[in-house]
Amino acid sequence: MKHNVEYLSDVLIIGSGAAGLSLALKLAEHAQVRVLSKGPLTEGATMYAQGGIAAVFDADDSVESHVADTLIAGAGICDEEVVHYTASTAKDCMEWLIHEGVAFDREENQTDTDEVKYHLTREGGHSHRRILHTADATGKAVQTTLVEAVQKHPRITVMERFNAVDLISTRKLGLAGNRIIGAYVWNRDIEQVEVIKASFVALATGGASKVYQYTSNPDVSSGDGIAMAWRAGCRVANMEFNQFHPTCLYHPDAKNFLLTEALRGEGAFLKRPDGSRFMPEIDERAELAPRDIVARAIDYEMKRLGADCMYLDISHKPKEFIVKHFPTIYRKCLLLGIDMATQPIPVVPAAHYTCGGVLTDMHGQTDISGLYAIGEVSYTGLHGANRMASNSLLECVVFAHAAAKDIINKLPHKRKLPNVPAWDESLVANSDEEVVLQHNWHELRLFMWDYVGIVRTDKRLERALRRVQMLQQEIDEYYSNFRVSNNLLELRNLVQVAELIIHCAMQRKESRGLHFNLDYPDQLEDSGPTIISPRHF
C-alpha cells in the first residue's frame, strides 16, 4: 500500500547540472536545500560539455570585447544589460569554481612561485583567447567537482531518480495570490507521487532538444522545467531559436555522439552519398563556414536527395595524423565498425541547445513569486538569436550566483507554507497501452525534425501545429486515465514545449540567427525577443 509522503525544505532545486549544483552550494550556508535529480546526479548536459567557459583572464582581452562578440553572435536581439552583467561577473564566478576545485588547464612550465596563468583557447565568435577549459572535457570536470562538494555538504539533501511532475502554487490550491510553494514529484524507485514543500523553488532542468529526432543532448533533456513553468503561468521567450550542431554521428548504436568541428578545421570534407562535395557550392568558406550555414546545407542536401545522412571524410589524411589528433573519435567509430582513416563517417545535424526558455529577470526570478529559473531552462536575454560558444556553462554559474543572492535576501521574510493535498490516484489505472506512448513519442520527434527543424516554412509550421494539437489531446486523455511514468511525464512536457516552439516560430516573420524561414528570408530592421504568455492561450 502506498503512503502519503511529504518533504519540507527552504529551497527546492529541480535539476542537478552546473546551474542547480552551483545554486545549492551558494545557498547551503543560509538554508536547508533539497536537490532533485531525474537520474543519477552526474547525468545531464553539463557532463557532456566539451569546450569550456568564456571569461576574461587575458590582459589583452576586455569585458567590452566579450560583450561585443556576444552581441554579434546573438544577431541583434540580446539584452545588452544582461550581456554586460554576465561578462563582467564571469571572472569572479570562474574563480569561485577554481576555489571549489575545478582544475582548469594551465600554461606549461609554470613553477609554484609563478602567478597562475590558465591556458585559454579561442572558439567561433570570440575575438580573443578567453576559453577556460579542462582538456576537451570541461563539463565533466565542472560536474564531478560540484557533485563531490554537494555530497559532502550537511545542509544539502540530494534526491536521485525523482521526476518533477508539476509545480504547486497558491493559485493551484485556490488560495490568495500566486506564489510557488513546492512541487509534486514522482519517486521512480517505488513509482509513487510525493510532495516537496519549499519556500523557494528553482528550475535548473536544462533544455528541450529531445523534442527533435536527432540531438546531441542526453535523454534527460526533455524540457520539463519550461513545460512546468508554462503550466504554472510563466511567460516564455525565444523558443524558436534552437541551435543545431552540424555533425552528429549517424548510427543506431551511437546516440548523442558529436563529431567536433576541429575535424573540418583539420581538413575533413563533407560529402554526398555519391562522394561529391557540396559545401564549396554553398559558401566560399566551404566546410569552415559558420555552424548554422553548414547545418542548413547538410539539411538541404538530405531533403533534396531523400538521404538519411551525409558523410564527413578525413580519410585523405595519414592514419597517424588522425589517430593522434582525434583518438576518442577514432576509437568510437572503430567500435561501430567505421574506420575513419579509410572511409567516410555518416553524419546528421543534431539539436544542441535551447536558446529560449522561461522568462526571468537579472536575478533568475520568473513571473511567479518564489519561482526561479537558471541555466538553459531560462531566457535571460544573454543569447539572443544564437548562443556564442562557451557562454552556456558561464550563464549557469553567473545566474546561479545571482539567484542565490536574491533568495538569501528574501529568506528572512519567508512565509508559512499552507497544507498541500496528497496526489490523488483514486481514479486512474495502470497503463496497458504503453505502445501508444512510444508511437506518439516517435511521431512528435519526427515531425518536429521535418517541419520545425533547421529550415522552416509557414506551411510546415502550420502542419506541425495541427499535429502537435492532436497529440496534446491524446496525451491529456492518457494522463487523465493512467498512472504516471517517466515516458508519460517526459512526453507530456515535450509536446507542450513543441507547441511553444511552433508558436514562437510562427510569430517571427523574418530569418534571424538560428531561425530560418524560406517564406521570410530577410531580417527585419526592428526586431526583438518573441515573448508569449499562457494568458493568451
Side-chain angles (χ1 to χ4, degrees), residues 440 443-444 447 467-475:
N440 287 351
E443 182 183 352
L444 171 70
F447 77 66
R467 296 280 188 91
V468 83
Q469 287 173 341
M470 289 175 60
L471 275 183
Q472 273 193 321
Q473 291 175 0
E474 289 183 22
I475 292 161

Side-chain angles (χ1 to χ4, degrees), residues 505-522:
M506 293 178 82
Q507 286 191 27
R508 186 165 291 279
K509 306 298 184 184
E510 63 167 349
S511 290
R512 181 182 296 270
L514 301 167
H515 172 76
F516 191 85
N517 188 327
L518 290 172
D519 294 317
Y520 306 97
D522 301 320

Side-chain angles (χ1 to χ4, degrees), residues 236-251:
V236 302
N238 276 16
M239 292 299 295
E240 71 270 36
F241 295 117
N242 308 98
Q243 190 176 78
F244 291 83
H245 194 286
T247 52
C248 190
L249 179 59
Y250 178 71
H251 192 282

Side-chain angles (χ1 to χ4, degrees), residues 73-78 208-209 212 226 237-244 351-357 376 378-379 383-387 452-454 456 500-502 504-505 507-517 523 527-531:
I77 60 167
C78 297
S209 287
Y212 288 103
I226 298 170
N238 276 16
M239 292 299 295
E240 71 270 36
F241 295 117
N242 308 98
Q243 190 176 78
F244 291 83
H352 187 55
Y353 191 86
T354 306
C355 287
E376 194 177 350
S378 68
Y379 168 78
H383 304 306
N386 189 11
R387 175 181 66 82
V452 201
I454 296 166
R456 297 139 185 198
L500 299 177
I501 292 170
I502 295 164
C504 284
Q507 286 191 27
R508 186 165 291 279
K509 306 298 184 184
E510 63 167 349
S511 290
R512 181 182 296 270
L514 301 167
H515 172 76
F516 191 85
N517 188 327
Q523 281 192 12
S527 186
T530 307
I531 300 173

